[in-house]
Amino acid sequence: MPSDRRYRGDRPSWLVRGGAFAGLAFMHIPVLVIILYAFTTEDRTYQFPPPGLTLRWFEAAFARADIWQSLTLSLGVAACATVVAMILGTLAAFALARSSFRGKDALTVMFVLPIALPGIVTGIALLAAMKLGRIDPSFFTIVAGHATFCLVIVYNNVVARLRRLPSNWVEASMDLGADGSQTLRYVLLPQVATAFLAGGMLAFALSFDEIIVTIFTAGNQRTLPIWFFNELFRPRDRPITNVVAVIVIAVTLLPIVLAYYLTRPDDEHETAH
Amino acid sequence: MRAASTFFWRRPYWYLALLLVPPLLWFGTVYLGSLIALLAQSFYRIDDFTAQIVREPTLATYGQLVTQPANVDIVVRTVTMAIAVTITCALIALPIATYMARYATGRMKALFYVGVMLPMWTSYLVKVYAWRLLLAKEGIIAWFVGKLGLTGLLDALLATPAVGGPSLSSSYIGMFLVFVYMWLPFMILPMAAALERVPGSLLQASADLGARPAQTFRNVVLPLAIPGIAAGSVFTFSLTLGDYIIPSVVGAPGYFIGMMVYVQQGTAGNIPLAAAFSVVPIVLIFVYLSIAKRFGAFDAL
């Protein structure tokens, strides 16, 4: 019955369907191309299709000391920034999720500023402050910059979960005789744990891959993205660059996929209602 | 322990303060402190002869920014690009978001959500690099266009004055493509979230009242999706305004705000001008946020 189909609206027009799938393909092709190029036997041009496939460049990349150095620096920065962000972001989320007080709106806006303003603003602001305060770039200046926007990611994840939590759970727990710390331990924390971890994973991935802010705070240290950035302008080892690209994709996507699975059961639970 | 928790339960403000002090200290010193330092630097100027920064409050640097035509051009160029990218992202995102929010179910829906999330979180630099390979003169796009026998069309496109160039990777068209690609997921996700929230009963009511699907879409679905589009556009607009890597890797030689900030603080050593330039996107974003807020962007973030 045509009228039935019409009001349920369960048949997308070919335009919507075609547009959706074409858009999805558009989003994936470039990444697939990079992965393909990491295996090409051609080392001078970006000839397409590649004349042959090899694993030789992976071996060459793993033998390079500068890549290992950059990789360990990036992993170290990401780990430190994530820890700071998880602690501070969660505290802020607990404070702002339910309460209402004067100036709360201003604080909420402030906590999204580092992702609402372009990254270069954060970068140049940190640099301006470092110049004024005569602080030399170091491992800690990189971590400070990263923790600031990673904090926002953790905050967003945890605050969203806390807001979805029915407020009467806390009251019920108190009515049943639990004190604040027991309520926190048995009611709030188990509910928030996955959002907390997912926020941490996303923060780690974000920090590992960050370049826009890092360039301003790193001085002459080379995180993996900075190594990559330099190769973009002075390509010396194209095949090695392609391999590093694949490594970067792998290191960032692993925590993202984990974060997705950590937050997914909750979504299913929500749609079931 | 119990005494402590009772204490804080009775005095919620103490509890709040205890929670808020560490993140606020961090944010206040590292982030807001830096932003204030940035503002302060923008009111300094650089001495033309000694190339030293003169630490006295002056509007000279801002004067330089607004009076030199080259600087005004940079701002206009960047804003034009940001608007074009935002509109294009919204147009491409609309069918994707509509399909994933309203039609896809079960596995297909999961596929779409993961399919949008993965490229969004894939390394920024790797994606830029990938586009350089795609757009290169002997790159994949040129190869593909050649296979289709459309090389003439591509050449005609590249011959367009102002936006064209010798190859896709050195034209504004190429840069525009990269920007659209990079920020598309940031538009799709809030848009899909807004569309998910449209109640099915409204669509039924609209159909019962005799609207055709296209009319329902235009008069019911689209207005309800506006907060999502506004939220997404904050990202696409802001990200384009501040980016300096994409314009320096792909595109024509004209400067963008982000590149100007980068070059001025780096090789030129002119932190005051870099600071003044970075205040431009801050002001633009605040103007944009206040407009977006009217369309309900904050409820959809």
Side-chain angles (χ1 to χ4, degrees):
Chain A
M1 225 162 71
S3 66
D4 190 41
R5 182 206 298 165
R6 193 171 60 184
Y7 81 62
R8 272 207 257 119
D10 56 0
R11 287 279 178 87
S13 69
W14 64 268
L15 198 73
V16 168
R17 191 194 291 266
F21 282 93
L24 203 61
F26 171 63
M27 283 192 279
H28 285 273
I29 288 167
V31 179
L32 296 177
V33 164
I34 279 294
I35 296 174
L36 176 69
Y37 269 118
F39 298 96
T40 180
T41 46
E42 169 64 55
D43 65 344
R44 259 169 234 296
T45 66
Y46 295 124
Q47 187 191 344
F48 188 87
L53 300 174
T54 172
L55 279 171
R56 157 158 66 111
W57 309 122
F58 278 84
E59 204 180 317
F62 285 124
R64 292 267 298 255
D66 58 334
I67 291 175
W68 280 109
Q69 251 171 14
S70 295
L71 184 65
T72 32
L73 176 62
S74 282
L75 289 173
V77 167
C80 290
T82 305
V83 170
V84 175
M86 282 172 90
I87 296 169
L88 297 178
T90 310
L91 287 177
F94 269 90
L96 296 178
R98 280 268 157 68
S99 55
S100 60
F101 55 90
R102 190 181 300 181
K104 188 194 159 187
D105 283 351
L107 281 186
T108 321
V109 170
M110 191 185 84
F111 277 117
V112 296
L113 266 193
I115 53 168
L117 289 180
I120 194 167
V121 172
T122 311
I124 188 80
L126 287 167
L127 182 74
M130 282 160 62
K131 293 265 177 191
L132 280 184
R134 302 211 157 75
I135 303 164
D136 286 326
S138 67
F139 180 81
F140 297 102
T141 54
I142 308 182
V143 171
H146 285 199
T148 304
F149 54 79
C150 288
L151 189 161
V152 181
I153 301 290
V154 177
Y155 165 80
N156 274 342
N157 262 276
V158 177
V159 92
R161 180 67 60 84
L162 281 173
R163 286 200 179 125
R164 267 186 270 158
L165 209 65
S167 64
N168 50 18
W169 285 20
V170 174
E171 286 156 20
S173 162
M174 298 294 210
D175 287 347
L176 291 169
D179 61 30
S181 62
Q182 285 171 323
T183 305
L184 183 71
R185 194 165 141 210
Y186 295 111
V187 180
L188 288 176
L189 288 188
Q191 287 299 315
V192 169
T194 50
F196 173 72
L197 279 180
M201 300 278 177
L202 296 179
F204 185 89
L206 201 65
S207 165
F208 182 79
D209 180 43
E210 219 291 330
I211 177 88
I212 304 239
V213 177
T214 319
I215 284 193
F216 292 96
T217 55
N220 52 16
Q221 306 167 84
R222 298 217 297 184
T223 62
L224 202 57
I226 294 182
W227 183 93
F228 200 90
F229 183 66
N230 291 337
E231 286 300 312
L232 277 180
F233 289 100
R234 286 179 296 277
R236 280 180 295 252
D237 311 291
R238 272 181 182 170
I240 307 272
T241 312
N242 295 338
V243 169
V244 172
V246 173
I247 297 174
V248 173
I249 293 178
V251 176
T252 46
L253 282 195
L254 200 69
I256 300 301
V257 172
L258 280 175
Y260 176 76
Y261 279 104
L262 278 175
T263 44
R264 207 173 60 138
D266 180 69
D267 292 340
E268 277 169 3
H269 157 101
E270 205 182 25
T271 45
H273 278 265
Chain B
M1 200 67 200
R2 196 158 195 122
S5 79
T6 317
F7 177 85
F8 284 120
W9 180 253
R10 295 231 174 99
R11 296 167 186 78
Y13 285 92
W14 284 59
Y15 167 72
L16 263 182
L18 196 75
L19 286 174
L20 269 177
V21 162
L24 278 185
L25 266 182
W26 177 279
F27 238 73
T29 46
V30 176
Y31 192 64
L32 294 184
S34 300
L35 284 179
I36 291 164
L38 176 73
L39 266 182
Q41 290 268 20
S42 72
F43 287 104
Y44 295 158
R45 68 186 172 83
I46 197 152
D47 190 292
D48 291 335
F49 295 103
T50 60
Q52 292 294 310
I53 293 167
V54 185
R55 293 193 178 181
E56 296 154 7
T58 168
L59 284 171
T61 308
Y62 283 104
Q64 196 186 344
L65 175 63
V66 293
T67 51
Q68 288 185 3
N71 291 342
V72 177
D73 278 353
I74 291 171
V75 174
V76 171
R77 185 180 297 130
T78 312
V79 173
T80 312
M81 180 61 91
I83 292 172
V85 168
T86 299
I87 293 172
T88 314
C89 279
L91 290 178
I92 299 179
L94 197 58
I96 304 175
T98 309
Y99 189 80
M100 64 197 261
R102 298 202 33 231
Y103 297 114
T105 49
R107 281 186 170 212
M108 191 52 104
K109 199 179 192 103
L111 176 86
F112 263 87
Y113 273 94
V114 174
V116 175
M117 296 268 288
L118 281 187
M120 173 162 140
W121 284 93
T122 303
S123 166
Y124 165 87
L125 274 178
V126 169
K127 285 185 287 188
V128 177
Y129 178 61
W131 273 91
R132 215 162 87 140
L133 306 196
L134 287 173
L135 296 173
K137 218 173 169 77
E138 318 82 29
I140 297 173
I141 292 184
W143 172 82
F144 192 67
V145 168
K147 282 271 173 198
L148 291 177
L150 296 173
T151 307
L153 197 70
L154 181 65
D155 289 343
L157 189 67
L158 286 175
T160 319
V163 295
S167 74
L168 272 175
S169 57
S170 49
S171 67
Y172 287 123
I173 299 175
M175 193 195 298
F176 168 75
L177 270 175
V178 180
F179 272 131
V180 169
Y181 170 82
M182 298 294 277
W183 315 140
L184 185 59
F186 293 88
M187 179 64 93
I188 296 175
L189 288 179
M191 204 190 254
L195 288 171
E196 295 264 12
R197 282 197 287 261
V198 176
S201 56
L202 281 186
L203 307 179
Q204 294 187 359
S206 170
D208 287 348
L209 292 169
R212 278 176 283 105
Q215 283 178 313
T216 304
F217 187 79
R218 202 173 56 238
N219 297 325
V220 180
V221 178
L222 208 53
L224 289 169
I226 290 285
I229 300 175
S233 73
V234 171
F235 290 116
T236 55
F237 189 73
S238 162
L239 289 165
T240 314
L241 273 192
D243 200 280
Y244 60 93
I245 290 178
I246 294 169
S248 42
V249 176
V250 183
Y255 271 41
F256 280 68
I257 292 177
M259 291 164 80
M260 199 60 183
V261 173
Y262 181 66
V263 171
Q264 288 300 331
Q265 63 82 31
T267 43
N270 191 345
I271 298 234
L273 188 58
F277 253 106
S278 64
V279 170
V280 175
I282 300 182
V283 172
L284 289 173
I285 294 291
F286 273 105
V287 171
Y288 198 85
L289 281 178
S290 63
I291 299 170
K293 201 176 157 113
R294 289 198 180 177
F295 288 101
F298 286 96
D299 308 324
L301 273 178

